[in-house]
């Protein structure tokens, strides 16, 4: 008999958009809200004396599936999502300490899709396997706050929803995976530290998700708008340093450099400085707001937000991931 503790999330890269493959990667789940979308095609005709639509004059109209997934970012398996968030992940050589650095940059998302399987345990003891092929990441957010872990939220679009029968899978998770927490995080503006209590980077991939075709259904969502990448942080207004950097750029239209870094836990206690690292670099930040606010009896806050832009090529954002993983 299954319990709520047996629910799971698994995924696998697809070779062909919408072609289901058995899931092979599993992720520690915080929350999911994925669901199928079902509409009705109704007749507009009538017969003599008909005052209510006849029971045989409508047809089901499955319109794919969508929803979000919330995960805690670990020092293993994160590169899988980077590829679907940004488009390209370059794999570096393993270093002397056994770490490999994956570098994610903006690239074409066409041809990159995945199948998601959600094992949902019901209160009667059953484990139900919902399968969502044709997965695309339409939007994403990395966020962190005091007392919290680095969190990832992805908004996803799928070609359809099905329920798989047969034996349930047996999820396996990366051995030795650790968290990234706020204690290992830093935020800098033009190389100057900005002490923050919360920070967020979010991206909108600008996908056209209504590519429906007669006799086929949903075609692969493709990019049709420029991507939008937004940054926001809030911290104490402890000096004019961060404000001056952001406000000067805001007033003049100049760009700034924003870097967010999280260091993880050393896998070898004998090498405490050799740690996994995630770095988010946005070298062409257009600051859109820099606002210190006061409230009686409280230390004032400073909120800074902006939009990451391209400078040369598609360099609006790069995310590097130093991990003991060796493959995406």
């Amino acid at each position: 008999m299954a319990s709520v503790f047996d629910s799971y999330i698994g995924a696998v890269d697809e070779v062909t958009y919408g072609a289901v493959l058995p899931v092979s990667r599993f992720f520690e789940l915080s929350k999911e809200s994925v669901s199928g979308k079902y509409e009705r095609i109704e007749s507009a005709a009538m017969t003599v004396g008909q005052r209510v639509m006849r029971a045989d004059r409508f047809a089901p109209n499955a319109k794919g599936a969508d929803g979000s997934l919330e995960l805690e970012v670990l020092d293993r398996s994160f590169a899988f999502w980077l590829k679907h968030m940004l488009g390209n992940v370059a794999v570096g050589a393993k270093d002397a300490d056994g770490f490999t650095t994956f570098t994610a940059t903006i690239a074409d998302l066409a041809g990159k899709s995945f199948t998601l399987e959600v094992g949902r345990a019901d209160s009667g003891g059953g484990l139900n396997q919902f399968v969502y092929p044709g997965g695309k990441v339409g939007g994403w957010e990395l966020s962190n706050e005091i007392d919290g872990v680095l969190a990832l939220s992805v908004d996803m679009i799928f070609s359809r929803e099905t329920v798989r029968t047969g034996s349930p899978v047996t999820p396996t998770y990366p051995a030795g995976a650790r968290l990234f927490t706020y204690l290992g995080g830093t935020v800098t503006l033009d190389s100057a530290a900005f002490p923050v209590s919360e920070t967020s980077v979010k991206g909108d991939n600008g996908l056209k998700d209504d590519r429906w075709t007669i006799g086929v259904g949903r075609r692969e969502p493709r990019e049709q708008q420029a991507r939008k990448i937004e940054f926001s942080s809030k911290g104490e207004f402890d000096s004019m340093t961060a404000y001056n950097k952001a406000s000067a750029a805001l007033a003049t239209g100049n760009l700034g450099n924003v870097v967010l870094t999280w260091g993880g836990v050393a896998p070898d206690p004998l090498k405490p400085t050799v740690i996994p690292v995630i770095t988010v670099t946005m070298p062409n930040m257009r600051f859109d707001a820099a606002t210190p606010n006061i409230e009686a009896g409280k230390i004032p806050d400073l909120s800074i937000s902006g939009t990451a832009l391209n400078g040369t090529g598609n360099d609006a954002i790069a995310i590097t991931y130093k991990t003991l993983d060796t493959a995406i």
Side-chain angles (χ1 to χ4, degrees):
M1 178 180 291
S3 73
V4 294
F5 305 106
D6 296 310
S7 297
Y8 64 86
I9 287 283
V12 64
D13 284 325
E14 294 176 345
V15 177
T16 303
Y17 174 76
V20 176
L21 293 172
V23 295
S24 57
R25 305 284 293 274
F26 297 90
F27 304 92
E28 298 178 15
L29 171 66
S30 296
K31 184 179 180 180
E32 61 88 11
S33 62
V34 184
S35 61
K37 301 301 177 185
Y38 299 93
E39 299 178 0
R40 298 291 183 258
I41 302 170
E42 297 181 344
S43 170
M46 61 174 287
T47 58
V48 173
Q50 175 182 320
R51 288 179 170 80
V52 177
M53 184 177 66
R54 284 171 46 177
D56 59 356
R57 287 298 181 267
F58 78 92
N61 185 18
K63 295 302 292 278
D66 59 33
S68 64
L69 182 61
E70 296 179 16
L71 304 169
E72 295 175 343
V73 178
L74 301 177
D75 60 9
R76 301 287 184 96
S77 296
F78 180 47
F80 174 90
W81 293 107
L82 286 175
K83 173 176 52 183
H84 295 286
M85 290 160 54
L86 296 187
N88 182 66
V89 176
V91 183
K94 184 187 293 187
D95 66 20
D97 296 306
F99 285 92
T100 298
T101 297
F102 299 80
T103 303
T105 52
I106 293 175
D108 194 353
L109 291 167
K112 298 178 178 70
S113 64
F114 57 93
T115 293
L116 188 78
E117 181 168 305
V118 184
R120 296 180 174 123
D122 60 45
S123 61
L127 184 60
N128 311 285
Q129 297 130 99
F130 290 77
V131 179
Y132 301 94
K136 304 283 290 188
V137 172
W140 54 270
E141 180 178 14
L142 284 168
S143 60
N144 193 205
E145 58 185 30
I146 297 299
D147 297 330
V149 302
L150 178 61
L152 170 67
S153 175
V154 286
D155 296 324
M156 302 168 293
I157 307 157
F158 299 95
S159 61
R160 62 191 182 279
E161 174 188 69
T162 61
V163 178
R164 183 172 67 82
T165 58
S167 300
V169 298
T170 301
T172 57
Y173 302 93
R178 301 288 188 90
L179 297 168
F180 292 94
T181 78
Y182 83 104
L183 292 171
T186 61
V187 177
T188 63
L189 309 180
D190 287 337
S191 300
F194 177 27
V196 304
S197 56
E198 57 186 70
T199 190
S200 165
V201 180
K202 61 176 62 177
D204 182 340
N205 285 334
L207 297 181
K208 179 178 174 59
D209 62 2
D210 59 351
R211 301 183 67 219
W212 296 93
T213 303
I214 292 174
V216 175
R218 171 172 270 162
R219 301 179 68 193
E220 180 184 358
R222 295 288 183 88
E223 297 173 67
Q224 69 169 358
Q225 297 176 339
R227 298 190 205 181
K228 190 170 185 179
I229 300 168
E230 298 175 304
F231 159 79
S232 64
S233 283
K234 183 173 77 172
E236 288 186 3
F237 181 42
D238 59 357
S239 74
M240 290 291 286
T241 302
Y243 173 79
N244 284 340
K245 288 183 178 295
S247 63
L250 180 64
T252 61
N254 291 331
L255 303 176
N257 181 59
V258 174
V259 179
L260 288 67
T261 304
W262 286 270
V265 178
D268 184 349
L270 299 179
K271 298 179 179 179
T273 61
V274 180
I275 59 175
V277 179
I278 290 177
T279 304
V280 182
T281 303
M282 295 167 284
N284 311 297
M285 180 63 64
R286 184 192 72 194
F287 293 104
D288 297 325
T291 309
N293 294 114
I294 60 171
E295 183 178 347
K298 293 186 178 181
I299 294 175
D301 289 327
L302 173 62
S303 297
I304 294 177
S305 60
T307 303
L309 305 176
N310 278 342
T312 303
N314 287 305
D315 64 348
I317 186 171
I319 302 177
T320 60
Y321 180 46
K322 179 183 172 185
T323 170
L324 290 175
D325 286 344
T326 57
I328 299 173

